[in-house]
Amino acid sequence: MEIYNSLSRKKETFEPLHEGRAGIYVCGPTVYGDPHLGHARSAITFDILARYFRHKGYKVRYVRNITDVGHLENDADAGEDKIAKKARLEALEPMEVAQYYTNRYHDCMRLLNVLPPSIEPHASGHIIEQIEMVKKIIAHGFAYETNGSVYFDVEKYNHTHAYGKLSGRILDDMQTSARDLDGQRDKRHPADFALWKKAAPEHIMRWASPWSDGFPGWHLECSAMSTKYLGEQFDIHGGGLDLIFPHHECEIAQSVAAQGCEAARYWMHNNMITLNGQKMGKSLGNFITLDEMFAGSHNLLAQAYSPMTVRFFMLQAHYRSPLDFSNEALQAAEKGMKRLFEAIQTLHKITPAGGGEDPTVEGFIQKTYAALDDDLNTPIAVAHLFDAVRFVNAVNDGKDTLTATGKAKLQQLFDGVLTDTLGIASEQQQTGNTAILHGLMNMTLEARNLAKANKDWAASDKIRQQLSDLGITVKDTKDGTVWSLE
Ligand code: ZN
């Protein structure tokens, strides 16, 4: 499979560090506001990557973090922590804010059929690892302390390593663009960035460190957590295009300074979302949250769009291209998705003609997978699925024929690509699964009640344990047995 590496600025054949395994780290959300379309695009892009690797037989460890500390208001080293600010305004504990928006994010991701990551580390839960990393960077001579804060010495690092290699920026140009903000006078060079910040007296989120009571710089968490869970070197680091500078550039510098080598081997970045051709932004009044999208409750939306429509729509642009949201395009996606599902139903009913391979179907399979293998070219893959739809309809109309093997393989193509890889489930599939789950749970709990009535405690405990292993909690209350998914 070829993937575009933002570091080399070209497509490269993906070769995992460990045979048959893929380690992926993706920068997750900063949890201080409602999840929006930008969150969805990044999550869906890397969900498809992880799904496709699994579909190809890789064992995938997918780490996506939650930034719940240290992300300052102006994305620089000064200003108020965004989560702490929200907490202050709403009279909440900062962790209450972070938890609330983490839950909201999870709810939206579930609706969009984005699978949960293998590990979801929180920045606030990895302060020790971050402090250890700062110590290493200081010990290697690439950081210095001023007034209780620790800064990365970009100029010194740049003498021996190329700072700016990912973003293509040149250090000399950064001097003029750096703003004169609070904390700048503590730095030796305007481009230096904070590894640790001493907390002002009113700052709520703070931890003890060798330098001061304070908090880690934003870029540090991803360096510390990615290497903790994926090793000093790992395969893929992903995130939105807006994170290339300074976030990812700083991550590279931190890893090299701390451990002597770069951590991520391939950098992948998804492009941004525009709305009717305009950049999306809160100040521009065209900032649409996912809840508004699903409810159709924003004045720019002509109707509500289901999470699957939003997901399917996103696949119709390559992840490296900007994606423009408009009602027309979303409505077209909704219609297209419906046609796909109708064709899958039609395919079930088709009586095949004869046996043997079906060259037309082989062609669809070959082209669809070739598109996915070409840097996850989902729009081309979807276009080939639509070719298959036209073929199915032609067969149904008696204008073409399909062999039994061809029919089975075509069904496999829809299952393997549309359902498993692209993560598009029909509403029937989604609600059908829920109905099946409830039916099975009723049967299982009935069996457990029968065991209890027969005083067969071993059997009833075993059922409870097996359900627990599946992530289903069973509770016996005075009103009967209730169950919930973890
Ligand atoms: Zn990050």
Side-chain angles (χ1 to χ4, degrees):
M1 180 186 182
E2 298 275 299
I3 58 176
Y4 181 87
N5 190 347
S6 310
L7 199 57
S8 63
R9 295 179 181 79
K10 59 174 195 271
K11 283 184 197 169
E12 293 175 19
T13 302
F14 176 68
E15 275 161 20
L17 207 54
H18 306 285
E19 178 81 29
R21 287 199 263 160
I24 307 172
Y25 183 90
V26 173
C27 292
T30 304
V31 282
Y32 69 98
D34 286 323
H36 54 73
L37 288 170
H39 288 121
R41 188 161 198 206
S42 181
I44 289 171
T45 297
F46 295 104
D47 180 50
I48 290 172
L49 179 71
R51 281 169 176 269
Y52 191 47
F53 276 137
R54 287 194 193 103
H55 182 63
K56 287 169 93 71
Y58 284 95
K59 223 172 133 77
V60 178
R61 183 179 294 163
Y62 176 30
V63 184
R64 189 186 65 209
N65 73 306
I66 295 282
T67 295
D68 57 356
V69 63
H71 195 151
L72 300 174
E73 208 163 355
N74 50 26
D75 288 350
D77 295 332
E80 195 173 0
D81 184 299
K82 285 175 178 175
I83 293 162
K85 183 182 179 189
K86 189 98 185 172
R88 183 171 57 74
L89 293 176
E90 297 184 9
L92 297 166
E93 268 294 317
M95 280 303 131
E96 223 173 341
V97 174
Q99 186 66 58
Y100 176 78
Y101 288 110
T102 302
N103 294 346
R104 295 285 297 272
Y105 180 76
H106 286 162
D107 290 345
C108 287
M109 291 308 117
R110 205 172 299 125
L111 289 169
L112 287 166
N113 207 16
V114 169
L115 298 174
S118 328
I119 304 176
E120 191 177 54
H122 292 229
S124 64
H126 296 77
I127 302 294
I128 292 168
E129 289 84 350
Q130 297 183 67
I131 290 175
E132 287 308 310
M133 196 157 190
V134 177
K135 284 186 192 165
K136 275 191 197 166
I137 298 173
I138 294 176
H140 297 163
F142 290 111
Y144 56 92
E145 187 203 331
T146 319
N147 296 325
S149 293
V150 180
Y151 295 97
F152 191 93
D153 193 336
V154 173
E155 206 169 25
K156 182 167 181 199
Y157 175 82
N158 196 47
H159 281 310
T160 41
H161 304 83
Y163 183 76
K165 64 186 291 190
L166 180 68
S167 60
R169 295 189 188 209
I170 294 164
L171 184 60
D172 289 344
D173 301 341
M174 291 179 207
Q175 250 162 333
T176 44
S177 61
R179 289 160 291 179
D180 189 19
L181 292 160
D182 185 34
Q184 285 292 69
R185 72 187 85 90
D186 285 348
K187 298 180 185 179
R188 291 180 188 166
H189 188 281
D192 292 354
F193 56 91
L195 297 173
W196 187 263
K197 282 288 284 181
K198 182 183 177 176
E202 66 277 13
H203 200 101
I204 322 171
M205 297 172 90
R206 53 168 70 218
W207 291 266
S209 83
W211 314 286
S212 62
D213 264 19
F215 52 94
W218 168 39
H219 317 305
L220 197 59
E221 62 178 273
C222 290
S223 292
M225 298 190 296
S226 60
T227 51
K228 171 165 175 146
Y229 296 111
L230 295 170
E232 285 200 345
Q233 273 199 302
F234 60 90
D235 297 309
I236 297 174
H237 193 314
L241 199 61
D242 53 337
L243 295 178
I244 287 186
F245 191 88
H247 189 50
H248 291 162
E249 196 70 76
C250 294
E251 271 192 53
I252 292 177
Q254 288 168 162
S255 301
V256 172
Q259 64 191 31
C261 66
E262 285 180 29
R265 299 163 63 236
Y266 302 85
W267 286 84
M268 292 176 78
H269 293 96
N270 64 277
N271 211 315
M272 301 290 107
I273 282 174
T274 54
L275 234 113
N276 298 320
Q278 261 200 323
K279 196 173 171 261
M280 208 174 73
K282 261 185 185 150
S283 55
L284 300 169
N286 64 355
F287 183 86
I288 304 185
T289 69
L290 290 170
D291 284 341
E292 287 169 336
M293 202 76 203
F294 304 155
S297 62
H298 191 285
N299 60 16
L300 286 175
L301 299 173
Q303 61 171 88
Y305 297 100
S306 76
M308 271 309 121
T309 302
V310 174
R311 183 172 177 120
F312 188 64
F313 171 71
M314 287 199 178
L315 305 181
Q316 299 193 27
H318 188 262
Y319 75 90
R320 283 194 289 118
S321 306
L323 174 63
D324 190 52
F325 261 74
S326 67
N327 284 294
E328 296 71 33
L330 276 155
Q331 283 156 358
E334 195 173 35
K335 269 197 204 130
M337 195 170 68
K338 200 164 159 250
R339 273 207 306 133
L340 260 169
F341 287 126
E342 280 165 1
I344 293 169
Q345 293 299 323
T346 306
L347 179 62
H348 280 297
K349 290 180 232 146
I350 284 175
T351 314
E357 295 288 347
D358 195 309
T360 314
V361 172
E362 291 302 319
F364 294 140
I365 295 170
Q366 192 272 326
K367 285 177 191 160
T368 309
Y369 282 101
L372 291 172
D373 281 335
D374 179 17
D375 192 29
L376 284 186
N377 201 329
T378 57
I380 301 290
V382 168
H384 291 305
L385 291 181
F386 276 116
D387 288 342
V389 164
R390 275 184 284 277
F391 172 68
V392 167
N393 291 334
V395 173
N396 193 46
D397 294 343
K399 291 178 190 145
D400 216 326
T401 55
L402 175 65
T403 66
T405 313
K407 178 178 170 175
K409 285 200 171 177
L410 204 47
Q411 280 168 331
Q412 274 172 15
L413 178 70
F414 284 124
D415 284 346
V417 174
L418 191 68
T419 313
D420 295 348
T421 303
L422 302 180
I424 299 295
S426 70
E427 251 152 66
Q428 257 169 330
Q429 278 169 312
Q430 286 180 301
T431 51
N433 287 345
T434 314
I436 290 168
L437 174 68
H438 281 264
L440 286 172
M441 278 308 296
N442 286 343
M443 279 168 57
T444 311
L445 292 178
E446 240 172 66
R448 181 166 167 267
N449 284 341
L450 190 66
K452 280 167 76 178
N454 292 333
K455 299 200 169 13
D456 184 354
W457 310 118
S460 86
D461 284 349
K462 193 178 170 198
I463 293 175
R464 188 199 187 108
Q465 186 53 49
Q466 282 172 330
L467 287 171
S468 166
D469 294 343
L470 291 169
I472 299 169
T473 314
V474 174
K475 263 192 200 143
D476 295 309
T477 70
K478 58 181 189 306
D479 301 320
T481 309
V482 291
W483 63 274
S484 60
L485 279 168
E486 270 160 21

